[in-house]
Amino acid sequence: MVRFLPCLRRPFTTATKAHLGGSYIRDDYTNITTRILEHVGLNLHLQKNHPLNLVHQRIINYFHETFTLSSKPVFSIFNELKPIVSVNQNFDSLLIPKDHVSRSKSDCYYLNREYLLRAHMTAHQAELLAGGFKNFLMIGDVYRRDEIDRTHYPVFHQVDAVRLKSRDELFPNACGHIFDKSVSTDYDGIQAKQECHSVEAVKLMEEELKNTLLGLVKSLFGDVKYRWVETTFPFTQPSWELEVFYNNDWLELLGCGIMKHHILTNAGVHDNIGWAFGIGLERVAMCLYKIPDIRLFWSKDSGFLSQFNLCDINQSVTYKEISQFPQCINDISFWLPDNVEFSSNDFYDLVRDNGGNIVEQVELIDNFVHPKTKKISHCYRITYRHMEKTLTQEEVNRVHQRIGDAAREKLLVEIR
Ligand code: DAH
């Protein structure tokens, strides 16, 4: 199958090059859109009074209060790392297999075959380890192609952390070892410890990791019900997710685990064991302040931002809806092109490009194969809502028409 997107043949404009801080040659992997590029450099987590800034600061404070050595903070903070990373940083350095789904063009924003907008803050883990850092937090914007609804936006923010320990730090009485190939049934199945580690070292690390994260959750949310769920990540083993019971439902809050020893040795660290975790800031802020829609974080409306102008960042705040403007719902149906690859994420990006932030949700509501011609038809329901005013039906129709025209031209679909 041939993929054909005419716009990809153009070189990046001079303005775009300046914005990206370098030159990137387009190739058959380029799928980044101008609209997404406009988010690069906004750094919401560093904007004063922004709810993401409050959460980011509270997490840093928790780490500084919990881990000090001779009254100096143990964790270094990296919150201005640039979001363009290499495929090596985002995937290879973290031992993510070459055929892993997370590398696909339909999941990431690629500048070209070699560079992409980081899909997680873990992308910086190996370079900071190689730079000699042992305990650090990496905070910033990450980019993922995804569905569109009130909790998903293609740009969001994460805090990722690494903590390394030497034998002396882990066993101050010198009565234990980090490395030995003992086996244990305490860690089996998907939770098997890594072969090189000793059971007692993994146990101590697991305990510190879990206590640290429960302390963090408590400092943010107070007493909440929680549970640990066993999982797998390519870069940790064993691995867990922490879920909290919030609004009558289990909410997946973060992923964590014991760092793969190969990541450390590849970075030149041979005699330490480490734990790591990653947490999404929007999810925390949405729960903490009861923010109902993820697009609000990008609002420049003073009615939104002024609610987070607090004297004390730990103060409890409940977001008050600026006002709820009505939705307009329009459907669009089309036949997918023959012989050209089509992914729903391509359509979602096209909707964002042409509809901007008045698009609240896009749902695939019908997927139909014609019994005779075998042609496939998709019907999407697009919900439009402006966060700050009432949209007229004519305004929405114009945008909807533009989306249809662009889909016909760029994705080669046939509107029904
Ligand atoms: N990078 C993962 C994600 O974006 C989250 C994560 C899981 C980060 C485990 C970590 C970790 O550092 O150890 O979903």
Side-chain angles (χ1 to χ4, degrees):
M1 279 209 238
V2 214
R3 188 186 184 85
F4 176 70
L5 285 176
C7 60
L8 302 187
R9 296 281 155 239
R10 280 184 280 111
F12 288 112
T13 62
T14 321
T16 307
K17 275 195 280 195
H19 189 57
L20 297 178
S23 269
Y24 297 89
I25 312 279
R26 283 173 182 266
D27 62 21
D28 60 329
Y29 253 60
T30 312
N31 64 358
I32 185 164
T33 64
T34 319
R35 226 190 115 61
I36 292 300
L37 272 176
E38 283 165 6
H39 294 75
V40 172
L42 294 182
N43 291 327
L44 297 184
H45 61 293
L46 301 177
Q47 265 178 43
K48 200 164 171 281
N49 299 337
H50 196 283
L52 296 178
N53 179 250
L54 299 176
V55 173
H56 141 275
Q57 197 54 54
R58 284 180 68 172
I59 296 176
I60 294 177
N61 290 356
Y62 169 78
F63 273 85
H64 283 350
E65 283 156 17
T66 312
F67 297 93
T68 48
L69 190 64
S70 322
S71 62
K72 285 214 185 71
V74 166
F75 277 79
S76 308
I77 310 299
F78 295 91
N79 55 9
E80 291 184 85
L81 298 164
K82 297 275 182 293
I84 298 174
V85 297
S86 63
V87 167
N88 180 66
Q89 286 171 293
N90 203 83
F91 303 112
D92 303 329
S93 73
L94 293 165
L95 315 178
I96 297 175
K98 290 278 183 215
D99 58 356
H100 199 272
V101 284
S102 63
R103 293 185 183 240
S104 81
K105 275 171 74 173
S106 62
D107 282 31
C108 300
Y109 289 104
Y110 281 94
L111 284 109
N112 54 34
R113 277 184 174 268
E114 210 180 329
Y115 292 97
L116 70 157
L117 292 174
R118 63 189 166 213
H120 54 179
M121 288 308 292
T122 326
H124 299 283
Q125 187 180 92
E127 80 203 53
L128 292 170
L129 288 172
F133 293 95
K134 285 189 61 176
N135 300 286
F136 51 90
L137 299 179
M138 305 159 272
I139 307 150
D141 39 337
V142 300
Y143 297 75
R144 285 192 206 167
R145 302 183 71 193
D146 214 332
E147 58 210 77
I148 300 181
D149 63 26
R150 283 158 81 92
T151 60
H152 290 87
Y153 196 82
V155 189
F156 59 101
H157 297 74
Q158 288 184 327
V159 174
D160 229 79
V162 163
R163 169 144 174 90
L164 297 190
K165 287 201 144 182
S166 64
R167 182 184 170 208
D168 290 348
E169 288 163 324
L170 204 55
F171 303 103
N173 306 323
C175 57
H177 293 277
I178 290 183
F179 304 105
D180 79 31
K181 297 197 171 173
S182 53
V183 279
S184 160
T185 47
D186 288 10
Y187 294 100
D188 59 6
I190 61 163
Q191 293 303 84
K193 71 166 184 68
Q194 294 166 57
E195 215 187 9
C196 60
H197 290 145
S198 74
V199 175
E200 68 262 29
V202 178
K203 279 222 150 111
L204 286 171
M205 291 300 280
E206 175 184 350
E207 190 179 282
E208 187 187 77
L209 168 64
K210 289 185 169 174
N211 286 339
T212 303
L213 293 174
L214 289 178
L216 174 65
V217 165
K218 190 159 186 202
S219 85
L220 293 168
F221 296 107
D223 284 317
V224 277
K225 230 162 56 171
Y226 66 86
R227 65 182 184 195
W228 292 102
V229 180
E230 296 185 351
T231 187
T232 55
F233 296 110
F235 29 93
T236 50
Q237 194 181 326
S239 314
W240 301 272
E241 268 163 5
L242 176 56
E243 297 187 348
V244 294
F245 198 67
Y246 208 84
N247 267 345
N248 276 327
D249 212 354
W250 286 104
L251 176 81
E252 186 192 311
L253 201 60
L254 57 84
C256 65
I258 306 299
M259 295 167 73
K260 286 261 178 89
H261 190 56
H262 262 304
I263 300 179
L264 304 190
T265 53
N266 287 344
V269 179
H270 295 276
D271 47 3
N272 285 195
I273 182 169
W275 55 248
F277 77 87
I279 184 170
L281 291 185
E282 275 79 354
R283 198 164 265 202
V284 172
M286 286 175 90
C287 290
L288 210 52
Y289 308 125
K290 306 224 166 27
I291 296 174
D293 191 308
I294 196 163
R295 290 174 299 163
L296 280 162
F297 291 106
W298 301 91
S299 164
K300 295 189 179 72
D301 193 297
S302 59
F304 174 73
L305 290 172
S306 63
Q307 296 190 32
F308 301 95
N309 188 355
L310 314 178
C311 337
D312 169 9
I313 62 165
N314 298 315
Q315 199 177 318
S316 104
V317 195
T318 302
Y319 168 71
K320 284 185 238 37
E321 204 110 17
I322 309 173
S323 121
Q324 187 68 271
F325 295 96
Q327 300 175 322
C328 281
I329 296 173
N330 284 24
D331 293 347
I332 178 168
S333 300
F334 45 73
W335 296 108
L336 304 194
D338 300 322
N339 306 321
V340 178
E341 201 184 309
F342 175 92
S343 113
S344 293
N345 277 350
D346 291 334
F347 181 65
Y348 298 149
D349 270 322
L350 181 136
V351 174
R352 288 237 187 252
D353 275 355
N354 290 278
N357 274 5
I358 68 165
V359 178
E360 179 172 282
Q361 188 171 20
V362 184
E363 277 171 287
L364 176 61
I365 54 170
D366 190 38
N367 186 350
F368 158 81
V369 183
H370 191 284
K372 287 230 178 69
T373 62
K374 300 287 178 250
K375 272 176 102 56
I376 303 171
S377 158
H378 279 186
C379 178
Y380 292 89
R381 171 154 299 162
I382 308 184
T383 307
Y384 298 89
R385 189 199 322 245
H386 202 291
M387 304 303 293
E388 286 131 19
K389 65 171 194 175
T390 298
L391 291 169
T392 64
Q393 191 60 52
E394 293 83 77
E395 233 173 319
V396 169
N397 290 349
R398 271 199 303 278
V399 174
H400 199 70
Q401 176 71 39
R402 196 158 69 220
I403 289 170
D405 292 346
R408 198 170 340 101
E409 190 188 322
K410 303 233 168 81
L411 303 177
L412 310 180
V413 302
E414 188 192 325
I415 309 285
R416 296 181 63 185

